[in-house]
Amino acid sequence: MLGAMSLGFGVIAGLVVGKGVAYRLLATAITTVACFGVGLVTSEVLFGWATEEELQPNIDGLSRDEVLLSGVLTTGVVVLVMRYLAHRAGDQKSPRDWHLIGRHGRPTGHA
């Protein structure tokens, strides 16, 4: 169950993150692994003390609501970080263009 939920969050992240196919697959893989790890910690460590009566729904020992919430948060963080890194990498100029950039990132007018 945790694996299926993690894969679902990974696919959602891959669709949202944008850019090329390779970048989308990377986002899917990173999010799937991250959601699985965070979900395991959430269910077994943070809420492992609770009994089935205290946590509803509890399916086969998995605290589903808590894991879903942690998956949403994890997916959001991964997507935001990957979009930030992609945007940051797109802003950097290649070394051959450095002489064209003046102070504060404004063009100097030299070609």
Side-chain angles (χ1 to χ4, degrees):
M1 182 74 160
L2 179 59
M5 289 189 321
S6 299
L7 185 59
F9 282 121
V11 169
I12 291 170
L15 293 173
V16 172
V17 80
K19 234 174 170 179
V21 174
Y23 200 70
R24 289 178 188 263
L25 288 174
L26 181 64
T28 301
I30 289 172
T31 305
T32 300
V33 171
C35 284
F36 188 85
V38 170
L40 196 61
V41 167
T42 299
S43 182
E44 300 303 320
V45 175
L46 298 177
F47 293 96
W49 53 266
T51 63
E52 193 169 319
E53 292 79 29
E54 292 172 332
L55 291 175
Q56 293 295 327
N58 193 332
I59 301 169
D60 293 330
L62 180 70
S63 304
R64 192 178 71 177
D65 289 347
E66 290 80 6
V67 169
L68 283 171
L69 180 61
S70 68
V72 167
L73 295 175
T74 302
T75 302
V77 168
V78 171
V79 167
L80 288 175
V81 167
M82 290 195 74
R83 288 181 67 108
Y84 171 76
L85 292 176
H87 178 70
R88 185 173 173 198
D91 284 346
Q92 293 178 355
K93 305 291 183 200
S94 66
R96 64 183 170 84
D97 293 335
W98 285 353
H99 70 283
L100 299 176
I101 305 296
R103 210 172 194 175
H104 307 292
R106 288 183 231 143
T108 61
H110 301 129

